[in-house]
Amino acid sequence: MSGLPVLIAGGGIGGLATAVALARKGIASIALERNPAFDEIGAGIQLGPNALAVLDLIGAGGRVRERLIPVGYLEIRDALEGRRLIRLDLRGAFRERFAAGYGVIHRGDLLKALYETCLASDRILLVPSAEIADWEEHPDGVEARGADGRRWNGRCLIAADGLHSRFRQRIVGDGDPIPSGHATFRCLIPPERMPEHCRVDGAVLWAGPDCHLVHYPLKDREVYNAVITVNDGSTDIARGEPVPDADVRRLFDRVGDQARAFLDAGTGWRRWTLRDREPADTWVKGRAALLGDAAHPMLQYAAQGACTAIEDAAVLADRLADDADPGAALDRYAAERRDRTARVQRLSRWLATEVYHPSAASAKRRDAMLLGLDEERLLDHLTWLYTPFGGTA
Ligand SMILES: Cc1cc2nc3c(=O)[nH]c(=O)nc-3n(C[C@H](O)[C@H](O)[C@H](O)COP(=O)(O)OP(=O)(O)OC[C@H]3O[C@@H](n4cnc5c(N)ncnc54)[C@H](O)[C@@H]3O)c2cc1C
């Protein structure tokens, strides 16, 4: 096997999880991040049992769990009347089926846990302020070319450069990601501002017509993460620009009093627009492969974008460790991951139209479906999603 390191373009959750998973298999890597620091925006993220189990497997679980909040339940409520439609207890039967559990974490804390795991390994080199512009193959591997003229040699290149991946254009060539027409607003709410009925130990989703609102505790429960989404036809690219509170509230004027009270508690909202893609047939070109959002960007509704990126990292490391030919290993990795991630991409779209955003008669059908699900059947529905790698690796 080539003694060259694996080059990773992008030091987000997917890129750093890849470095950690490779190190666990004895493979050296260089993670090249365009930003001057390995950091994440100030918002929360949910980690399902599939991701937590894989983080344990690759040796980052301990550091993640130190910062994780193991919330007690997931719940969906009707945003108009406030009625509870379904609750999934994340202890008891859930833990019996999915031993790794479920939790929420501040994104900065998740990245920090991965970053510290990288620093603890002498097989990982982290390079900030390194924007990769392109790559070339040579007989021994690949050369990654920095936008500032620097060069790095490796046995292969993993493009973990996110939703707007530039590497995807050379590997898949399917243009820009597809606008969903949805805009998301996020902020953190201190407990003293949060209405009492929302100061709870669960992740609660209020489903309304063409919109939904989510909150859960973060940071030792010292703050609540608020993520609210509206289907307003947005097609621009927004990545966290501040928006006046009054503008946000106006967009959600249709929701009922209970959801409204939590929405009104939020200040300092920032706006993102949401895009995804159709699943691609391949994520590999020679010795370069896509990973995470670059490979299978999905709407956030199944809370699985980062979780599936973490799974990708572990499968990729296994295949590169098994096979002396990096090109063949990358093909096997992509073949193994494609169907599962495509299914999660489709689920994420389905959740928006059928569960989170329906109105009128469709909302009544949704209510009947959710109210009719008992815990056992709900867990059965979730087993493929929350079993690491879908149970196939
Ligand atoms: C509102 C919202 C809520 C979400 N909630 C959840 C959730 O609860 N659970 C969950 O699992 N997922 C969730 N997701 C999805 C999750 O955030 C993403 O799937 C995940 O961050 C993807 O990680 P990534 O490493 O593939 O890409 P990114 O996080 O986008 O990281 C890409 C990195 O590459 C760097 N980069 C880009 N181009 C270059 C280049 N040319 N050279 C070098 N570096 C480069 C970027 O600076 C960045 O650091 C949510 C997403 C949104 C929008």
Side-chain angles (χ1 to χ4, degrees):
M1 190 188 291
S2 151
L4 290 171
V6 172
L7 302 179
I8 303 166
I13 295 165
L16 292 194
T18 301
V20 169
L22 288 168
R24 188 76 168 184
K25 293 282 168 183
I27 301 174
S29 66
I30 304 179
L32 302 150
E33 166 58 43
R34 70 176 168 193
N35 289 331
F38 290 81
D39 207 354
E40 265 277 0
I41 56 141
I45 193 160
Q46 304 184 45
L47 292 177
N50 54 322
L52 290 171
V54 175
L55 287 164
D56 289 338
L57 199 71
I58 65 176
R63 286 192 174 87
V64 171
R65 285 175 194 282
E66 280 167 18
R67 294 146 164 129
L68 191 79
I69 299 191
V71 281
Y73 58 88
L74 304 178
E75 185 171 87
I76 300 182
R77 285 180 173 267
D78 168 8
L80 298 182
E81 289 159 12
R83 183 167 58 139
R84 184 199 295 167
L85 300 174
I86 195 161
R87 175 183 279 194
L88 176 62
D89 192 321
L90 296 171
R91 297 177 177 134
F94 185 91
R95 284 305 285 262
E96 277 164 34
R97 195 166 311 200
F98 308 112
Y102 196 103
V104 298
I105 188 168
H106 191 280
R107 280 167 180 267
D109 287 345
L110 173 59
L111 209 73
K112 199 185 233 176
L114 291 168
Y115 179 76
E116 286 173 5
T117 313
C118 289
L119 287 185
S121 168
D122 54 12
R123 294 197 173 92
I124 301 171
L125 178 63
L126 299 173
V127 187
S129 303
E131 179 171 356
I132 305 306
D134 208 351
W135 85 96
E136 282 305 325
E137 289 214 18
H138 54 69
D140 300 326
V142 292
E143 182 184 74
R145 300 184 170 170
D148 58 4
R150 281 180 291 169
R151 304 270 195 268
W152 290 269
N153 276 311
R155 72 176 75 166
C156 60
L157 174 82
I158 306 307
D161 56 335
L163 172 65
H164 296 279
S165 167
R166 76 164 63 170
F167 295 94
R168 185 166 176 124
Q169 294 324 311
R170 224 176 114 185
I171 295 175
V172 184
D174 56 353
D176 293 332
I178 305 163
S180 64
H182 300 182
T184 278
F185 304 83
R186 298 198 263 209
C187 75
L188 298 176
I189 304 179
E192 61 277 11
R193 286 184 60 93
M194 199 67 166
E196 198 174 340
H197 67 276
C198 296
R199 250 181 276 146
V200 292
D201 185 41
V204 181
L205 184 147
W206 303 78
D210 280 323
C211 70
H212 73 277
L213 308 89
V214 177
H215 57 77
Y216 50 80
L218 267 187
K219 290 257 174 209
D220 282 335
R221 299 177 172 82
E222 286 162 5
V223 74
Y224 288 86
N225 188 56
V227 190
I228 62 177
T229 303
V230 64
N231 182 358
D232 64 353
S234 295
T235 54
D236 60 318
I237 296 179
R239 295 178 172 128
E241 288 78 10
V243 188
D245 299 340
D247 292 3
V248 177
R249 289 174 192 156
R250 211 170 303 123
L251 280 169
F252 292 82
D253 57 5
R254 72 207 83 169
V255 304
D257 290 348
Q258 291 188 41
R260 163 119 253 126
F262 131 67
L263 168 66
D264 288 345
T267 56
W269 296 96
R270 289 176 177 270
R271 175 173 177 268
W272 281 259
T273 46
L274 305 179
R275 293 176 176 233
D276 68 355
R277 291 181 183 275
E278 296 297 337
D281 289 340
T282 183
W283 308 338
V284 180
K285 192 178 177 85
R287 288 186 174 217
L290 304 171
L291 182 139
D293 274 6
H296 45 75
M298 54 186 71
L299 302 178
Q300 80 245 24
Y301 306 139
Q304 279 287 323
C307 296
T308 48
I310 291 164
E311 286 190 351
D312 288 349
V315 174
L316 177 82
D318 275 355
R319 297 297 78 86
L320 281 170
D322 291 348
D323 203 322
D325 173 355
L330 297 184
D331 284 334
R332 286 179 58 213
Y333 145 76
E336 216 170 292
R337 296 297 297 151
R338 207 170 42 231
D339 288 354
R340 171 160 171 78
T341 53
R343 190 173 176 193
V344 188
Q345 285 175 292
R346 286 193 294 271
L347 169 71
S348 303
R349 285 186 182 178
W350 179 87
L351 284 169
T353 55
E354 304 301 322
V355 183
Y356 298 170
H357 290 180
S359 50
S362 316
K364 286 207 164 59
R365 269 199 306 279
R366 181 264 326 270
D367 294 357
M369 173 182 78
L370 294 181
L371 290 164
L373 269 178
D374 63 29
E375 186 177 61
E376 181 85 19
R377 278 180 56 218
L378 181 56
L379 290 175
D380 288 346
H381 283 306
L382 291 171
T383 294
W384 72 273
L385 186 65
Y386 287 160
T387 303
F389 319 111
T392 57

